[in-house]
Amino acid sequence: MVYKNWSSEWLNCYVKPQVKERTYAKYCHLMNRHILPELGDYHLDELSTRVLQQFVNKLRDDGFASATIHGMISLLKLSLIKAVELEIVDKEYTTYLSRPKIQTKRVECFSIQEQRKIENYASILERPKYFGILLSLYTGMRLGELLALEWSDIDIRKNIIKVTKSCHDSWKNHGYVKVIDTPKTSNSVRIIPMPKALIPYFKIMRRQAVTKFVIPGRTPYGAEVRTYQRFFESMLREIGVAHKGFHSLRHTFATRALECGMDVKTLSEILGHASPMITLNRYAHSMFDHKSSMMNRLGRLLVRTQDNFN
């Protein structure tokens, strides 16, 4: 059996029933756009370490990011492991591949001055679309979670926000449509304590609400992901803040939380991470800045002690 025939069977019979629609679409895109043009005509038993390594090397030479290459290797591995399990081939060879080292990116967040600019602009206008930006800055919600948020998820009496859904844009019928789905992981289903400073804004926005979604859009289904991303980029240009993706609001929330002394376990739960270790690894630079500040504060005691000796 040639690999392109097996990959089609694997995706439709073994992957599609088990994963989210968005994940399935991503797998199909990687397979059809990048993997099959190079490996599709090989018979399964021809996919040796040497053949697969040549494919990986070509991806690297073509300038693909290390994380993208690792993703394609993982996709290959999953498909070939299933072929071994079904005894279509005797062995898979991805284990022995030489992979490019993944460079950990430093997360981008807004400076305190930039954050103040964003907050001042968004709060003065008192419009639902701008309120979403404040909400992300002070809850750390992902964009998909924010745009899936309904008024029934907000309990102003208890000061809590229930994150139970997420959304993404999906290409259907020659256009993007908003798809409501379960959150990114099981840990992403969570309850976020609402900062009291947001309550007055919630009350204003609730009176203005025209749909069940907290952040409205052009349709009754609320704002779409791509539309809201473009809106945010346009707002940054208007107020003279350097471009950063919407996800930087989440990073900014996490950074400010650490700077305020929030413990990592609490922050991890609010962000919906699977474990505090993920939070530690992702925001180590923020914690280092906080640690330096604490050490300098401690150092002032030494200065005062020296003054007592003089």
Side-chain angles (χ1 to χ4, degrees):
M1 180 186 291
V2 294
Y3 183 67
K4 62 184 176 184
N5 292 343
W6 165 243
S7 67
S8 177
E9 180 181 335
W10 174 68
L11 285 168
N12 287 294
C13 297
Y14 301 101
V15 175
K16 191 174 184 179
Q18 300 294 327
V19 301
K20 292 183 180 181
E21 179 184 340
R22 188 179 186 181
T23 303
Y24 173 73
K26 179 182 177 181
Y27 284 3
C28 288
H29 173 77
L30 288 174
M31 189 67 76
N32 294 325
R33 184 75 181 270
H34 302 297
I35 298 176
L36 293 184
E38 299 295 331
L39 302 177
D41 291 329
Y42 281 88
H43 283 268
L44 285 172
D45 55 10
E46 293 177 325
L47 294 177
S48 63
T49 300
R50 184 180 181 187
V51 169
L52 295 177
Q53 188 64 60
Q54 288 172 345
F55 170 64
V56 171
N57 293 346
K58 185 177 186 303
L59 292 175
R60 186 167 48 211
D61 293 341
D62 288 344
F64 283 90
S66 298
T68 303
I69 296 175
H70 277 255
M72 284 194 247
I73 293 173
S74 296
L75 197 58
L76 272 167
K77 185 180 184 72
L78 288 171
S79 67
L80 294 174
I81 284 176
K82 179 55 70 174
V84 172
E85 289 176 357
L86 297 176
E87 299 181 348
I88 299 173
V89 289
D90 296 328
K91 191 174 181 180
E92 63 88 15
Y93 295 91
T94 58
T95 304
Y96 307 103
L97 294 177
S98 174
R99 308 170 183 227
K101 184 177 180 180
I102 294 181
Q103 301 294 325
T104 303
K105 281 188 177 181
R106 182 184 174 100
V107 295
E108 283 191 324
C109 72
F110 293 102
S111 68
I112 292 177
Q113 292 74 22
E114 290 172 330
Q115 182 175 346
R116 290 288 173 260
K117 269 190 172 183
I118 293 168
E119 289 178 10
N120 290 337
Y121 189 81
S123 59
I124 288 173
L125 293 178
E126 289 188 350
R127 294 177 188 168
K129 284 179 73 173
Y130 291 95
F131 175 58
I133 294 167
L134 293 178
L135 198 50
S136 291
L137 271 174
Y138 283 91
T139 64
M141 280 194 291
R142 301 175 179 93
L143 177 56
E145 296 168 345
L146 172 72
L147 299 185
L149 196 66
E150 300 179 12
W151 285 109
S152 59
D153 299 320
I154 312 297
D155 191 328
I156 294 179
R157 286 189 306 105
K158 295 182 179 178
N159 291 353
I160 60 172
I161 301 170
K162 292 176 286 185
V163 179
T164 60
K165 302 176 292 298
S166 186
C167 70
H168 63 272
D169 290 346
S170 180
W171 183 263
K172 288 184 179 179
N173 300 323
H174 309 291
Y176 285 101
V177 295
K178 182 176 179 178
V179 177
I180 304 294
D181 205 344
T182 54
K184 186 176 180 181
T185 66
S186 59
N187 298 95
S188 298
V189 177
R190 61 199 187 279
I191 294 176
I192 300 176
M194 187 194 308
K196 290 184 179 179
L198 288 180
I199 293 176
Y201 293 100
F202 268 115
K203 290 180 177 178
I204 293 171
M205 297 307 121
R206 187 69 184 93
R207 289 196 295 268
Q208 297 180 13
V210 293
T211 73
K212 67 179 182 178
F213 291 98
V214 175
I215 311 302
R218 294 173 297 177
T219 72
Y221 301 104
E224 296 166 341
V225 173
R226 288 171 183 266
T227 302
Y228 203 76
Q229 285 172 327
R230 288 195 293 268
F231 157 74
F232 179 65
E233 291 167 4
S234 175
M235 192 202 80
L236 291 182
R237 285 195 300 270
E238 191 167 337
I239 63 177
V241 172
H243 169 77
K244 290 183 179 68
F246 191 91
H247 205 68
S248 294
L249 294 174
R250 176 173 165 88
H251 295 323
T252 302
F253 164 79
T255 300
R256 296 290 104 82
L258 290 170
E259 289 171 352
C260 289
M262 184 182 291
D263 67 274
V264 176
K265 187 174 188 306
T266 297
L267 178 59
S268 175
E269 291 173 356
I270 290 174
L271 290 173
H273 286 164
S275 74
M277 189 57 64
I278 294 175
T279 312
L280 278 168
N281 291 337
R282 194 158 296 170
Y283 298 103
H285 71 283
S286 300
M287 294 194 67
F288 183 80
D289 293 341
H290 180 64
K291 288 173 183 175
S292 296
S293 175
M294 294 299 101
M295 292 296 282
N296 289 331
R297 184 181 298 180
L298 182 63
R300 295 191 201 109
L301 296 176
L302 177 61
V303 174
R304 285 198 289 271
T305 301
Q306 289 174 337
D307 289 341
N308 292 335
F309 279 113
N310 294 332

